[in-house]
Amino acid sequence: MITYSPRETKELAQKIFQENKRGLKNKCLIFALQGELGTGKTQFAKGLGRALGIKKIIVSPSFTLIREYPFKNRETKGIFYHIDAWRIEAPEEWLALGIRELVKPGNVIAIEWAEKGREIWDKIFDKLSVKIVWVKLEHKKRGERKISWSSKK
Amino acid sequence: MKKEPLILSIDTSCDETAAAITLGRRVLSNVVWSQIAIHRPWGGVVPNLAKRAHQKHIDEVVDTALIEAEKQMETIDAVAVTQGPGLAIALEVGIEKAKEIAKKYNKPLIGVDHMEGHLLSSLARSPNPTKAEPSLRLKFPVLGLLVSGGHTELVLARKIGQYQILGQTLDDAAGEAFDKVAKMLGLGYPGGPIISRLAEDGDMAKFNLPVPMIHHKSLNFSFSGLKTACLYKIRKIGEKKRDKQFLKDFAASFQYALVQSIVLKFKKAIDIYHPQQVLLGGGVINNLYLRQQIKQVARQHQIPVLVPYSKKLFTDNAAMIGIAAYYKFLRKEFVKDIDRLDRKPNLSLEASIF
């Protein structure tokens, strides 16, 4: 799918959330965002925030690494965690972030630069109930982004 | 004269382990152990390194603050600690230490918002004033401009302790934009000082970069569009042509666009809220070009600008936490149940800490 503006990226994020929200009652939903600087990862997270009914402005977590936003809407309540792995190099850094403790049914986690930890994800999420949606964002022509996604249990 | 409170403050919100002793608004010591050298190879803060480094250095930093101030733990009147905003696992280290000291020495504990520290950092007084200091009478409303690696905020204070956020970044913080553009240019970390140094001899009109949010009515900031515009420009130019002069010109052009955006919103805030005083805080205030531009606008409106007396007070430090804690001490805002004091990684100046 191609988006032509940050707004369209946000709208697509809402749509992808709707497609995958089933099971949020007994699972933690994780959006693993892959993409270079400036491909719209934070915009995508803003879209997820909107889908969850979060009023607070979703801002880049690059500096503080994790930002959290509690949410409550008609269907569900939980905490939306927005994580930035831009600065993470060694896989064990992921464990240090304490991500396992954030994984609870009903919570939603968006991880920017998720590709950086792919090799230890199985270890991190071992025996936890999660649904992971991999989202790839790419630069195309000026202003255009190619966004593709796939989910696995 | 009434005795001013002697406060030990601790801040471990991000990559600095900091402790300070303040007597009233006077800074007796301000010790910062920086992790920048540790994180430099990674281009930013790395979480488990951050936590480990805080744990390793916190005792030494607290002891040094006491020694430099020539004070003993027994004689302090309160312990203050940053509760947020910041990196959760880093904040925890400072909070645990503060609780431990408060319990062991039976001292009242004060929880402080890191951003209130930045906002009030200009009110700090030096330990050895070289000239007579005029007595400080803040005129309200006060407009605060806070620009750092993690934050870009315009804050209105009707009195100390009562804040309204007029505008904030919708995506990246200004300091983060510096870091990311520096990374795109293959420069080091932190990006701010490197870019501003390069920009000194650069042509700010060389590259036409968009001034963010120029047509946007709100007082909010946004730097992600500028970041992407930089990325497109840098790519187009190609690696071979990126010589020293290119870096200087690009740094100057980027800095110009970013600073103009901040100045524009600052000016707008003045027009709407008519502040009587401006306070500047945060690491990016170190940027001379930004400071000059802000001061010029304030001068045109005849509004006095207060800037911290030392550069050490711009970036993260604990003395500024001591200043915020001093006013809380006067208002008797102590933590009621020490065991329940918790980190608040997403704390906002508008939310009461209690």
mmCIF file of all heavy atoms in Angstrom, chain A residues 37-38 43 46 56-60 62-65 67-68 86-87 89 93 96-97 139 142-143 145, chain B residues 14 42-48 87 89 149-150 169-172 176 179-180 183 228 231-232 346:
data_model
loop_
_atom_site.group_PDB
_atom_site.id
_atom_site.type_symbol
_atom_site.label_atom_id
_atom_site.label_comp_id
_atom_site.label_asym_id
_atom_site.label_seq_id
_atom_site.Cartn_x
_atom_site.Cartn_y
_atom_site.Cartn_z
ATOM 1 N N LEU A 37 14.993 6.300 8.988
ATOM 2 C CA LEU A 37 14.647 7.617 9.529
ATOM 3 C C LEU A 37 13.683 8.302 8.572
ATOM 4 O O LEU A 37 13.901 8.307 7.357
ATOM 5 C CB LEU A 37 15.906 8.494 9.616
ATOM 6 C CG LEU A 37 16.796 8.376 10.852
ATOM 7 C CD1 LEU A 37 18.047 9.226 10.656
ATOM 8 C CD2 LEU A 37 16.071 8.825 12.093
ATOM 9 N N GLY A 38 12.626 8.877 9.124
ATOM 10 C CA GLY A 38 11.737 9.684 8.299
ATOM 11 C C GLY A 38 10.764 8.919 7.418
ATOM 12 O O GLY A 38 10.202 9.483 6.488
ATOM 13 N N GLN A 43 4.456 8.579 12.925
ATOM 14 C CA GLN A 43 3.115 8.867 12.395
ATOM 15 C C GLN A 43 2.217 7.641 12.528
ATOM 16 O O GLN A 43 1.047 7.741 12.882
ATOM 17 C CB GLN A 43 3.194 9.292 10.916
ATOM 18 C CG GLN A 43 3.942 10.589 10.674
ATOM 19 C CD GLN A 43 3.321 11.784 11.388
ATOM 20 O OE1 GLN A 43 2.123 11.838 11.606
ATOM 21 N NE2 GLN A 43 4.149 12.739 11.778
ATOM 22 N N LYS A 46 1.107 7.324 15.971
ATOM 23 C CA LYS A 46 0.054 8.311 16.245
ATOM 24 C C LYS A 46 -1.306 7.757 15.804
ATOM 25 O O LYS A 46 -2.313 7.954 16.472
ATOM 26 C CB LYS A 46 0.321 9.609 15.485
ATOM 27 C CG LYS A 46 1.335 10.543 16.144
ATOM 28 C CD LYS A 46 1.581 11.718 15.204
ATOM 29 C CE LYS A 46 2.631 12.676 15.736
ATOM 30 N NZ LYS A 46 2.145 13.561 16.800
ATOM 31 N N LYS A 56 -3.847 12.233 24.445
ATOM 32 C CA LYS A 56 -2.507 12.822 24.586
ATOM 33 C C LYS A 56 -1.737 12.737 23.271
ATOM 34 O O LYS A 56 -1.903 11.786 22.504
ATOM 35 C CB LYS A 56 -1.725 12.055 25.662
ATOM 36 C CG LYS A 56 -1.522 12.867 26.926
ATOM 37 C CD LYS A 56 -0.624 12.140 27.901
ATOM 38 C CE LYS A 56 0.674 12.893 28.043
ATOM 39 N NZ LYS A 56 1.546 12.348 29.075
ATOM 40 N N ILE A 57 -0.889 13.735 23.028
ATOM 41 C CA ILE A 57 -0.110 13.732 21.794
ATOM 42 C C ILE A 57 0.953 12.632 21.868
ATOM 43 O O ILE A 57 1.712 12.555 22.827
ATOM 44 C CB ILE A 57 0.579 15.106 21.590
ATOM 45 C CG1 ILE A 57 -0.463 16.221 21.564
ATOM 46 C CG2 ILE A 57 1.391 15.111 20.304
ATOM 47 C CD1 ILE A 57 0.133 17.614 21.693
ATOM 48 N N ILE A 58 0.964 11.790 20.856
ATOM 49 C CA ILE A 58 1.983 10.737 20.788
ATOM 50 C C ILE A 58 3.222 11.367 20.153
ATOM 51 O O ILE A 58 3.185 11.786 19.001
ATOM 52 C CB ILE A 58 1.504 9.578 19.885
ATOM 53 C CG1 ILE A 58 0.104 9.086 20.287
ATOM 54 C CG2 ILE A 58 2.540 8.454 19.821
ATOM 55 C CD1 ILE A 58 0.035 8.126 21.405
ATOM 56 N N VAL A 59 4.302 11.460 20.902
ATOM 57 C CA VAL A 59 5.519 12.084 20.382
ATOM 58 C C VAL A 59 6.631 11.047 20.256
ATOM 59 O O VAL A 59 6.522 9.940 20.776
ATOM 60 C CB VAL A 59 5.990 13.263 21.267
ATOM 61 C CG1 VAL A 59 4.965 14.376 21.273
ATOM 62 C CG2 VAL A 59 6.275 12.805 22.682
ATOM 63 N N SER A 60 7.679 11.423 19.570
ATOM 64 C CA SER A 60 8.785 10.501 19.346
ATOM 65 C C SER A 60 9.389 10.023 20.663
ATOM 66 O O SER A 60 9.681 10.825 21.544
ATOM 67 C CB SER A 60 9.865 11.194 18.526
ATOM 68 O OG SER A 60 11.051 10.442 18.605
ATOM 69 N N SER A 62 12.320 8.654 20.914
ATOM 70 C CA SER A 62 13.758 8.423 20.717
ATOM 71 C C SER A 62 14.582 8.747 21.950
ATOM 72 O O SER A 62 15.520 8.043 22.279
ATOM 73 C CB SER A 62 14.293 9.261 19.561
ATOM 74 O OG SER A 62 13.751 8.818 18.360
ATOM 75 N N PHE A 63 14.241 9.811 22.627
ATOM 76 C CA PHE A 63 15.101 10.245 23.722
ATOM 77 C C PHE A 63 14.874 9.441 24.999
ATOM 78 O O PHE A 63 15.812 9.012 25.645
ATOM 79 C CB PHE A 63 14.896 11.726 23.993
ATOM 80 C CG PHE A 63 16.029 12.338 24.753
ATOM 81 C CD1 PHE A 63 17.239 12.588 24.133
ATOM 82 C CD2 PHE A 63 15.904 12.643 26.092
ATOM 83 C CE1 PHE A 63 18.299 13.125 24.832
ATOM 84 C CE2 PHE A 63 16.962 13.192 26.797
ATOM 85 C CZ PHE A 63 18.153 13.430 26.171
ATOM 86 N N THR A 64 13.612 9.235 25.342
ATOM 87 C CA THR A 64 13.338 8.522 26.591
ATOM 88 C C THR A 64 13.178 7.017 26.360
ATOM 89 O O THR A 64 12.978 6.278 27.311
ATOM 90 C CB THR A 64 12.068 9.055 27.266
ATOM 91 O OG1 THR A 64 11.031 9.099 26.290
ATOM 92 C CG2 THR A 64 12.261 10.443 27.810
ATOM 93 N N LEU A 65 13.239 6.586 25.125
ATOM 94 C CA LEU A 65 13.183 5.179 24.722
ATOM 95 C C LEU A 65 11.813 4.522 24.861
ATOM 96 O O LEU A 65 11.392 3.773 24.009
ATOM 97 C CB LEU A 65 14.231 4.339 25.460
ATOM 98 C CG LEU A 65 15.667 4.822 25.224
ATOM 99 C CD1 LEU A 65 16.583 4.369 26.341
ATOM 100 C CD2 LEU A 65 16.196 4.336 23.896
ATOM 101 N N ARG A 67 7.709 5.479 25.922
ATOM 102 C CA ARG A 67 6.665 6.370 26.439
ATOM 103 C C ARG A 67 5.404 5.535 26.635
ATOM 104 O O ARG A 67 5.149 4.619 25.867
ATOM 105 C CB ARG A 67 6.391 7.517 25.473
ATOM 106 C CG ARG A 67 7.564 8.501 25.387
ATOM 107 C CD ARG A 67 7.174 9.731 24.587
ATOM 108 N NE ARG A 67 8.323 10.550 24.272
ATOM 109 C CZ ARG A 67 8.711 11.632 24.975
ATOM 110 N NH1 ARG A 67 8.028 11.996 26.038
ATOM 111 N NH2 ARG A 67 9.767 12.321 24.615
ATOM 112 N N GLU A 68 4.647 5.852 27.659
ATOM 113 C CA GLU A 68 3.449 5.051 27.914
ATOM 114 C C GLU A 68 2.205 5.913 27.973
ATOM 115 O O GLU A 68 2.238 7.046 28.459
ATOM 116 C CB GLU A 68 3.613 4.220 29.185
ATOM 117 C CG GLU A 68 4.016 5.006 30.418
ATOM 118 C CD GLU A 68 4.316 4.093 31.602
ATOM 119 O OE1 GLU A 68 5.382 3.460 31.591
ATOM 120 O OE2 GLU A 68 3.482 4.018 32.511
ATOM 121 N N TRP A 86 15.977 2.729 18.211
ATOM 122 C CA TRP A 86 16.993 3.319 17.340
ATOM 123 C C TRP A 86 18.386 3.170 17.933
ATOM 124 O O TRP A 86 19.367 2.929 17.262
ATOM 125 C CB TRP A 86 16.665 4.809 17.120
ATOM 126 C CG TRP A 86 17.512 5.454 16.073
ATOM 127 C CD1 TRP A 86 17.810 4.952 14.840
ATOM 128 C CD2 TRP A 86 18.168 6.720 16.149
ATOM 129 N NE1 TRP A 86 18.602 5.829 14.142
ATOM 130 C CE2 TRP A 86 18.840 6.921 14.931
ATOM 131 C CE3 TRP A 86 18.249 7.713 17.134
ATOM 132 C CZ2 TRP A 86 19.590 8.073 14.658
ATOM 133 C CZ3 TRP A 86 18.988 8.851 16.863
ATOM 134 C CH2 TRP A 86 19.653 9.025 15.637
ATOM 135 N N ARG A 87 18.458 3.349 19.240
ATOM 136 C CA ARG A 87 19.758 3.370 19.900
ATOM 137 C C ARG A 87 20.220 2.009 20.370
ATOM 138 O O ARG A 87 21.275 1.883 20.965
ATOM 139 C CB ARG A 87 19.675 4.314 21.095
ATOM 140 C CG ARG A 87 19.516 5.692 20.587
ATOM 141 C CD ARG A 87 19.113 6.700 21.568
ATOM 142 N NE ARG A 87 19.359 7.979 20.903
ATOM 143 C CZ ARG A 87 18.980 9.136 21.345
ATOM 144 N NH1 ARG A 87 18.341 9.230 22.462
ATOM 145 N NH2 ARG A 87 19.235 10.218 20.691
ATOM 146 N N GLU A 89 21.723 -1.573 20.164
ATOM 147 C CA GLU A 89 22.631 -2.322 19.311
ATOM 148 C C GLU A 89 22.654 -3.788 19.723
ATOM 149 O O GLU A 89 22.249 -4.648 18.977
ATOM 150 C CB GLU A 89 24.045 -1.734 19.379
ATOM 151 C CG GLU A 89 24.161 -0.365 18.742
ATOM 152 C CD GLU A 89 24.089 -0.400 17.214
ATOM 153 O OE1 GLU A 89 24.677 -1.314 16.621
ATOM 154 O OE2 GLU A 89 23.447 0.494 16.628
ATOM 155 N N GLU A 93 20.206 -5.555 25.184
ATOM 156 C CA GLU A 93 19.619 -4.272 25.550
ATOM 157 C C GLU A 93 18.095 -4.375 25.618
ATOM 158 O O GLU A 93 17.442 -3.700 26.388
ATOM 159 C CB GLU A 93 19.987 -3.194 24.526
ATOM 160 C CG GLU A 93 21.479 -2.930 24.382
ATOM 161 C CD GLU A 93 22.047 -2.218 25.568
ATOM 162 O OE1 GLU A 93 21.269 -1.680 26.371
ATOM 163 O OE2 GLU A 93 23.278 -2.207 25.715
ATOM 164 N N ALA A 96 17.089 -5.573 28.878
ATOM 165 C CA ALA A 96 17.278 -4.537 29.891
ATOM 166 C C ALA A 96 16.126 -3.542 29.897
ATOM 167 O O ALA A 96 15.795 -2.964 30.925
ATOM 168 C CB ALA A 96 18.598 -3.810 29.645
ATOM 169 N N LEU A 97 15.528 -3.331 28.744
ATOM 170 C CA LEU A 97 14.397 -2.405 28.677
ATOM 171 C C LEU A 97 13.194 -2.915 29.472
ATOM 172 O O LEU A 97 12.272 -2.174 29.751
ATOM 173 C CB LEU A 97 13.960 -2.198 27.221
ATOM 174 C CG LEU A 97 14.544 -1.016 26.461
ATOM 175 C CD1 LEU A 97 13.992 -0.991 25.050
ATOM 176 C CD2 LEU A 97 14.235 0.309 27.143
ATOM 177 N N HIS A 139 10.700 4.448 1.974
ATOM 178 C CA HIS A 139 10.671 5.660 1.155
ATOM 179 C C HIS A 139 10.450 5.277 -0.295
ATOM 180 O O HIS A 139 11.124 4.390 -0.815
ATOM 181 C CB HIS A 139 12.030 6.377 1.213
ATOM 182 C CG HIS A 139 12.240 7.150 2.458
ATOM 183 N ND1 HIS A 139 11.581 8.320 2.722
ATOM 184 C CD2 HIS A 139 13.047 6.934 3.526
ATOM 185 C CE1 HIS A 139 11.986 8.797 3.897
ATOM 186 N NE2 HIS A 139 12.875 7.968 4.404
ATOM 187 N N ARG A 142 9.363 11.203 -3.576
ATOM 188 C CA ARG A 142 9.231 12.246 -2.581
ATOM 189 C C ARG A 142 7.815 12.282 -1.986
ATOM 190 O O ARG A 142 6.841 12.400 -2.698
ATOM 191 C CB ARG A 142 9.521 13.594 -3.244
ATOM 192 C CG ARG A 142 9.987 14.611 -2.245
ATOM 193 C CD ARG A 142 10.127 15.961 -2.885
ATOM 194 N NE ARG A 142 10.615 16.874 -1.852
ATOM 195 C CZ ARG A 142 11.897 17.114 -1.655
ATOM 196 N NH1 ARG A 142 12.794 16.614 -2.432
ATOM 197 N NH2 ARG A 142 12.264 17.920 -0.676
ATOM 198 N N GLY A 143 7.721 12.159 -0.681
ATOM 199 C CA GLY A 143 6.410 12.230 -0.047
ATOM 200 C C GLY A 143 5.644 10.912 -0.041
ATOM 201 O O GLY A 143 4.633 10.785 0.624
ATOM 202 N N ARG A 145 5.225 6.808 0.699
ATOM 203 C CA ARG A 145 5.739 5.728 1.531
ATOM 204 C C ARG A 145 5.051 4.425 1.145
ATOM 205 O O ARG A 145 3.841 4.393 0.991
ATOM 206 C CB ARG A 145 5.411 5.985 3.017
ATOM 207 C CG ARG A 145 5.884 7.308 3.568
ATOM 208 C CD ARG A 145 7.381 7.319 3.820
ATOM 209 N NE ARG A 145 7.800 8.550 4.483
ATOM 210 C CZ ARG A 145 8.029 9.699 3.852
ATOM 211 N NH1 ARG A 145 7.866 9.781 2.546
ATOM 212 N NH2 ARG A 145 8.421 10.764 4.515
ATOM 213 N N CYS B 14 18.045 10.636 32.707
ATOM 214 C CA CYS B 14 18.463 10.099 31.417
ATOM 215 C C CYS B 14 19.929 9.690 31.431
ATOM 216 O O CYS B 14 20.291 8.727 32.076
ATOM 217 C CB CYS B 14 18.162 11.100 30.318
ATOM 218 S SG CYS B 14 17.965 10.291 28.741
ATOM 219 N N TRP B 42 27.235 4.500 20.335
ATOM 220 C CA TRP B 42 25.903 4.079 19.925
ATOM 221 C C TRP B 42 25.062 5.224 19.350
ATOM 222 O O TRP B 42 23.967 5.002 18.876
ATOM 223 C CB TRP B 42 25.144 3.466 21.108
ATOM 224 C CG TRP B 42 25.566 2.075 21.401
ATOM 225 C CD1 TRP B 42 25.072 0.938 20.833
ATOM 226 C CD2 TRP B 42 26.563 1.634 22.314
ATOM 227 N NE1 TRP B 42 25.706 -0.167 21.333
ATOM 228 C CE2 TRP B 42 26.626 0.221 22.241
ATOM 229 C CE3 TRP B 42 27.433 2.292 23.191
ATOM 230 C CZ2 TRP B 42 27.503 -0.536 23.007
ATOM 231 C CZ3 TRP B 42 28.298 1.543 23.948
ATOM 232 C CH2 TRP B 42 28.341 0.147 23.846
ATOM 233 N N GLY B 43 25.551 6.440 19.472
ATOM 234 C CA GLY B 43 24.775 7.571 18.969
ATOM 235 C C GLY B 43 23.605 7.916 19.858
ATOM 236 O O GLY B 43 22.637 8.508 19.414
ATOM 237 N N GLY B 44 23.650 7.548 21.117
ATOM 238 C CA GLY B 44 22.553 7.903 22.014
ATOM 239 C C GLY B 44 22.559 7.069 23.274
ATOM 240 O O GLY B 44 23.455 6.252 23.485
ATOM 241 N N VAL B 45 21.556 7.291 24.086
ATOM 242 C CA VAL B 45 21.467 6.577 25.360
ATOM 243 C C VAL B 45 21.152 5.107 25.138
ATOM 244 O O VAL B 45 20.295 4.763 24.357
ATOM 245 C CB VAL B 45 20.334 7.167 26.216
ATOM 246 C CG1 VAL B 45 20.332 6.531 27.584
ATOM 247 C CG2 VAL B 45 20.476 8.655 26.307
ATOM 248 N N VAL B 46 21.864 4.260 25.811
ATOM 249 C CA VAL B 46 21.579 2.832 25.725
ATOM 250 C C VAL B 46 21.085 2.380 27.094
ATOM 251 O O VAL B 46 21.753 2.596 28.101
ATOM 252 C CB VAL B 46 22.845 2.049 25.321
ATOM 253 C CG1 VAL B 46 22.529 0.581 25.185
ATOM 254 C CG2 VAL B 46 23.394 2.598 24.018
ATOM 255 N N PRO B 47 19.899 1.760 27.152
ATOM 256 C CA PRO B 47 19.230 1.568 28.432
ATOM 257 C C PRO B 47 19.994 0.795 29.486
ATOM 258 O O PRO B 47 20.126 1.288 30.602
ATOM 259 C CB PRO B 47 17.939 0.841 28.080
ATOM 260 C CG PRO B 47 17.935 0.646 26.620
ATOM 261 C CD PRO B 47 19.108 1.333 26.014
ATOM 262 N N ASN B 48 20.485 -0.407 29.198
ATOM 263 C CA ASN B 48 21.067 -1.122 30.342
ATOM 264 C C ASN B 48 22.399 -0.530 30.741
ATOM 265 O O ASN B 48 22.776 -0.543 31.899
ATOM 266 C CB ASN B 48 21.128 -2.639 30.137
ATOM 267 C CG ASN B 48 22.166 -3.075 29.145
ATOM 268 O OD1 ASN B 48 22.784 -2.254 28.474
ATOM 269 N ND2 ASN B 48 22.357 -4.372 29.030
ATOM 270 N N LEU B 87 13.660 8.289 31.426
ATOM 271 C CA LEU B 87 13.741 6.861 31.153
ATOM 272 C C LEU B 87 13.460 6.108 32.459
ATOM 273 O O LEU B 87 14.185 6.281 33.437
ATOM 274 C CB LEU B 87 15.137 6.544 30.617
ATOM 275 C CG LEU B 87 15.489 5.086 30.357
ATOM 276 C CD1 LEU B 87 14.555 4.479 29.316
ATOM 277 C CD2 LEU B 87 16.936 4.968 29.901
ATOM 278 N N ILE B 89 13.841 3.108 33.793
ATOM 279 C CA ILE B 89 14.837 2.328 34.526
ATOM 280 C C ILE B 89 15.981 3.193 35.045
ATOM 281 O O ILE B 89 16.689 2.816 35.956
ATOM 282 C CB ILE B 89 15.397 1.150 33.689
ATOM 283 C CG1 ILE B 89 15.965 1.649 32.367
ATOM 284 C CG2 ILE B 89 14.343 0.098 33.451
ATOM 285 C CD1 ILE B 89 16.693 0.563 31.593
ATOM 286 N N GLY B 149 16.993 17.721 24.605
ATOM 287 C CA GLY B 149 17.025 16.529 23.770
ATOM 288 C C GLY B 149 15.690 15.802 23.713
ATOM 289 O O GLY B 149 15.339 15.207 22.710
ATOM 290 N N GLY B 150 14.960 15.855 24.801
ATOM 291 C CA GLY B 150 13.702 15.123 24.848
ATOM 292 C C GLY B 150 12.465 16.009 24.844
ATOM 293 O O GLY B 150 11.347 15.510 24.795
ATOM 294 N N THR B 169 6.212 19.879 21.329
ATOM 295 C CA THR B 169 6.450 19.232 20.049
ATOM 296 C C THR B 169 5.414 18.138 19.798
ATOM 297 O O THR B 169 4.974 17.463 20.721
ATOM 298 C CB THR B 169 7.879 18.659 19.954
ATOM 299 O OG1 THR B 169 8.030 18.114 18.647
ATOM 300 C CG2 THR B 169 8.134 17.590 20.981
ATOM 301 N N LEU B 170 5.029 18.019 18.547
ATOM 302 C CA LEU B 170 4.066 16.992 18.165
ATOM 303 C C LEU B 170 4.778 15.702 17.769
ATOM 304 O O LEU B 170 4.161 14.678 17.596
ATOM 305 C CB LEU B 170 3.227 17.478 16.980
ATOM 306 C CG LEU B 170 2.396 18.737 17.223
ATOM 307 C CD1 LEU B 170 1.692 19.149 15.940
ATOM 308 C CD2 LEU B 170 1.379 18.515 18.334
ATOM 309 N N ASP B 171 6.066 15.777 17.575
ATOM 310 C CA ASP B 171 6.798 14.575 17.177
ATOM 311 C C ASP B 171 8.194 14.542 17.803
ATOM 312 O O ASP B 171 8.351 14.123 18.918
ATOM 313 C CB ASP B 171 6.845 14.426 15.646
ATOM 314 C CG ASP B 171 6.974 15.767 14.931
ATOM 315 O OD1 ASP B 171 7.954 16.464 15.234
ATOM 316 O OD2 ASP B 171 6.124 16.098 14.081
ATOM 317 N N ASP B 172 9.206 15.018 17.070
ATOM 318 C CA ASP B 172 10.568 14.987 17.605
ATOM 319 C C ASP B 172 10.834 16.252 18.425
ATOM 320 O O ASP B 172 10.286 17.303 18.134
ATOM 321 C CB ASP B 172 11.599 14.941 16.462
ATOM 322 C CG ASP B 172 11.494 13.679 15.626
ATOM 323 O OD1 ASP B 172 10.603 12.858 15.896
ATOM 324 O OD2 ASP B 172 12.296 13.509 14.697
ATOM 325 N N GLU B 176 16.578 16.315 19.598
ATOM 326 C CA GLU B 176 16.542 15.052 18.868
ATOM 327 C C GLU B 176 16.748 15.301 17.366
ATOM 328 O O GLU B 176 17.437 14.519 16.693
ATOM 329 C CB GLU B 176 15.173 14.444 19.130
ATOM 330 C CG GLU B 176 14.968 13.065 18.658
ATOM 331 C CD GLU B 176 13.532 12.612 18.985
ATOM 332 O OE1 GLU B 176 12.950 13.077 19.983
ATOM 333 O OE2 GLU B 176 13.005 11.812 18.212
ATOM 334 N N ASP B 179 20.329 15.675 16.833
ATOM 335 C CA ASP B 179 21.005 14.375 16.884
ATOM 336 C C ASP B 179 20.796 13.581 15.605
ATOM 337 O O ASP B 179 21.718 12.955 15.088
ATOM 338 C CB ASP B 179 20.484 13.537 18.068
ATOM 339 C CG ASP B 179 21.065 13.994 19.398
ATOM 340 O OD1 ASP B 179 22.051 14.762 19.385
ATOM 341 O OD2 ASP B 179 20.539 13.590 20.446
ATOM 342 N N LYS B 180 19.546 13.594 15.111
ATOM 343 C CA LYS B 180 19.242 12.756 13.947
ATOM 344 C C LYS B 180 19.853 13.322 12.667
ATOM 345 O O LYS B 180 20.351 12.566 11.833
ATOM 346 C CB LYS B 180 17.726 12.576 13.808
ATOM 347 C CG LYS B 180 17.201 11.641 14.893
ATOM 348 C CD LYS B 180 15.759 11.249 14.716
ATOM 349 C CE LYS B 180 15.402 10.183 15.747
ATOM 350 N NZ LYS B 180 13.958 9.954 15.855
ATOM 351 N N LYS B 183 23.438 12.562 12.673
ATOM 352 C CA LYS B 183 23.657 11.154 12.297
ATOM 353 C C LYS B 183 23.589 10.981 10.774
ATOM 354 O O LYS B 183 24.403 10.282 10.184
ATOM 355 C CB LYS B 183 22.611 10.287 12.992
ATOM 356 C CG LYS B 183 22.711 8.823 12.657
ATOM 357 C CD LYS B 183 22.887 7.974 13.892
ATOM 358 C CE LYS B 183 23.019 6.511 13.526
ATOM 359 N NZ LYS B 183 23.421 5.676 14.627
ATOM 360 N N THR B 228 12.897 14.979 7.647
ATOM 361 C CA THR B 228 12.729 14.275 6.372
ATOM 362 C C THR B 228 13.233 15.120 5.203
ATOM 363 O O THR B 228 13.872 14.600 4.285
ATOM 364 C CB THR B 228 11.248 13.903 6.176
ATOM 365 O OG1 THR B 228 10.805 13.232 7.358
ATOM 366 C CG2 THR B 228 11.059 12.974 5.002
ATOM 367 N N LEU B 231 16.842 14.746 5.046
ATOM 368 C CA LEU B 231 17.202 13.437 4.507
ATOM 369 C C LEU B 231 17.173 13.445 2.981
ATOM 370 O O LEU B 231 18.105 12.985 2.319
ATOM 371 C CB LEU B 231 16.234 12.382 5.048
ATOM 372 C CG LEU B 231 16.527 10.939 4.658
ATOM 373 C CD1 LEU B 231 17.719 10.411 5.438
ATOM 374 C CD2 LEU B 231 15.317 10.045 4.925
ATOM 375 N N TYR B 232 16.098 14.005 2.410
ATOM 376 C CA TYR B 232 15.977 14.066 0.948
ATOM 377 C C TYR B 232 17.117 14.879 0.345
ATOM 378 O O TYR B 232 17.732 14.485 -0.634
ATOM 379 C CB TYR B 232 14.638 14.693 0.544
ATOM 380 C CG TYR B 232 13.437 13.806 0.765
ATOM 381 C CD1 TYR B 232 12.202 14.358 1.119
ATOM 382 C CD2 TYR B 232 13.519 12.425 0.607
ATOM 383 C CE1 TYR B 232 11.086 13.549 1.323
ATOM 384 C CE2 TYR B 232 12.413 11.615 0.809
ATOM 385 C CZ TYR B 232 11.195 12.181 1.165
ATOM 386 O OH TYR B 232 10.108 11.388 1.363
ATOM 387 N N ASN B 346 6.328 9.663 32.184
ATOM 388 C CA ASN B 346 5.654 10.573 31.254
ATOM 389 C C ASN B 346 5.077 11.801 31.935
ATOM 390 O O ASN B 346 4.110 12.396 31.459
ATOM 391 C CB ASN B 346 4.516 9.845 30.531
ATOM 392 C CG ASN B 346 5.041 8.976 29.410
ATOM 393 O OD1 ASN B 346 6.235 8.717 29.349
ATOM 394 N ND2 ASN B 346 4.175 8.557 28.525
#
